[in-house]
Structure formats: C-alpha cells, structure tokens
Amino acid sequence: DIQMTQSPSSLSASVGARVTITCRASQTITTYLNWYQQKPGKAPKLLIYAASSLQSGVPPRFSGSGSGTDFTLTISSLQPEDFATYYCQQSYNFPPAFGQGTKLEIK
Amino acid sequence: QVQLVQSGAEVKKPGASVKVSCKASGYTFTTYDFSWVRQAPGQGLEWMGWISAYSGNAKYAQKFQGRLTMTTDTSTSTVYMDLGSLRSDDTAVYYCARAPSVAGAPDYWGQGTLVTVSS
C-alpha cells in the first residue's frame, strides 16, 4: 500500500500569512493527489484534485502543485475561515489512502 | 443541487452489525460512484471502500474484508454500508462520498453518521 506523509502535523499562522503544507507519497503517484479541508464536526471538503486543479467554488488563494512523490498545498493569504485541518489523499491506486492531516491554527 | 443525506446515529453492542444509508439527490445516481470513509474520535480519515452505483461492483480495504458490505438501491438512489462484528474501535463517524470513479476525488460528502460501539 502507498503511504502518505504530511508535514507539518500542525502549524500556527496569522491572518494574511502565506502557508504551505507538504505531502509525500511512499512511491510515485504521478499527479493523482487530492487535498481536503475539514472543520470540526463537518465533513471534509474537496479543495484540489489531480494535484493542481481547483475544485469549483474554492477560492483561488488555494493552490496545489507537485508530481511524482512530493506535493504542496499553498494558501496565499490566510483568511479566518481557513483555520481547519487539511488532508491529502492519493488516488493513484487501491487503497486510496489519506495523509494523517495538518491542523492549521490561528497564531 | 447535489445532496447526500445519511441515516442517523447508531449505538451498537460489540459483535453486532450496523447498516448506514446514504440517499443521493440532485443528479443521476448511476453516473457516479461512492466511497465510504470513517473518522474515529480525534483521529484522521480512513478510507474503507468503494462501490459503483452503475454496476454494484465494490472494493474494500483489506482491513475490512469479510465484515464490510456495500450495496446500492438504484430505485431509491441510496447506497448502504453494512459493517459487522463490531468492536469498540469501530466507534467513528462514517461518511459516504460521491466520486467520479474509483480513482476519482470524492466531491460531495454526506453529513456523517456517528456509530458508537459500547457494551
């Protein structure tokens, strides 16, 4: 099975800051990488699919990049509503595992 | 608009089974697949399995083989997740999610169903 590792596990940042979260796959997944945002008590929300494609309705301050084994999610200017937990997920092969999550908190 | 509405919270005893439903609306049911994902309290997301709404074919994560069954009812646009031989560590919120294919990213999610396993 492919293992997905996110870093950092948590981070604190201020409103307006630029933030980057990293996701690494244990083997190549080309660009079969998705990013989700989850707020407490809510279902995950798809942000980015196929490594860099922005899901409809998601603000353009969110962007994704990478291919192969290394990927990043960048939030260009943090807004109060962005404080949440972020998960990456590979959909290259079965089973489509998630990373362990990155909790983004307000500084 | 696309909606996935799941059944309500359940409390089960160890060894029992639970069946969670997920009713889809706002699109043609058989044109998308479904994944089930669970989240134990305070933990991350765990992918459980996938089912094609068109064919009924399903694939399950190895750890659930033998006690997980996913089915669909196209007449009611509903997908079901049946988990048996419940243990305390099956206590979690269970989510259904619509996906374009087994490899596609789930784009719409149900609200989640809390299943509590306790004696």
Side-chain angles (χ1 to χ4, degrees), chain B residues 31-35 50 97-102 104-108:
Chain B
T31 58
Y32 283 82
D33 302 337
F34 289 87
S35 290
W50 160 90
R98 186 187 84 159
S101 67
V102 63
D107 57 358
Y108 284 90

Side-chain angles (χ1 to χ4, degrees), chain A:
Chain A
D1 293 1
I2 296 175
Q3 309 301 318
M4 306 300 294
T5 304
Q6 290 181 231
S7 61
S9 296
S10 64
L11 75 154
S12 298
S14 302
V15 172
R18 180 183 179 90
V19 165
T20 297
I21 298 169
T22 297
C23 180
R24 174 165 287 175
S26 60
Q27 64 187 74
T28 182
I29 57 171
T30 64
T31 57
Y32 284 87
L33 191 283
N34 312 309
W35 289 99
Y36 302 87
Q37 175 194 68
Q38 188 181 33
K39 296 181 179 179
K42 299 295 186 181
K45 173 186 175 182
L46 177 64
L47 299 176
I48 302 281
Y49 62 95
S52 60
S53 295
L54 194 67
Q55 175 68 2
S56 176
V58 174
R61 63 180 179 272
F62 291 92
S63 63
S65 64
S67 66
T69 60
D70 294 317
F71 302 86
T72 59
L73 172 70
T74 299
I75 309 172
S76 60
S77 177
L78 274 173
Q79 299 302 300
E81 61 268 29
D82 299 337
F83 292 94
T85 300
Y86 293 84
Y87 294 92
C88 63
Q89 182 204 27
Q90 68 88 7
S91 52
Y92 180 74
N93 69 6
F94 181 85
F98 291 92
Q100 82 279 15
T102 296
K103 187 174 184 179
L104 177 54
E105 298 175 305
I106 301 174
K107 182 181 283 187

Side-chain angles (χ1 to χ4, degrees), chain B residues 54-68:
Chain B
Y54 177 77
S55 66
N57 289 340
K59 297 184 75 170
Y60 309 130
Q62 180 67 35
K63 72 175 288 185
F64 299 107
Q65 290 282 354
R67 66 185 190 108
L68 175 61

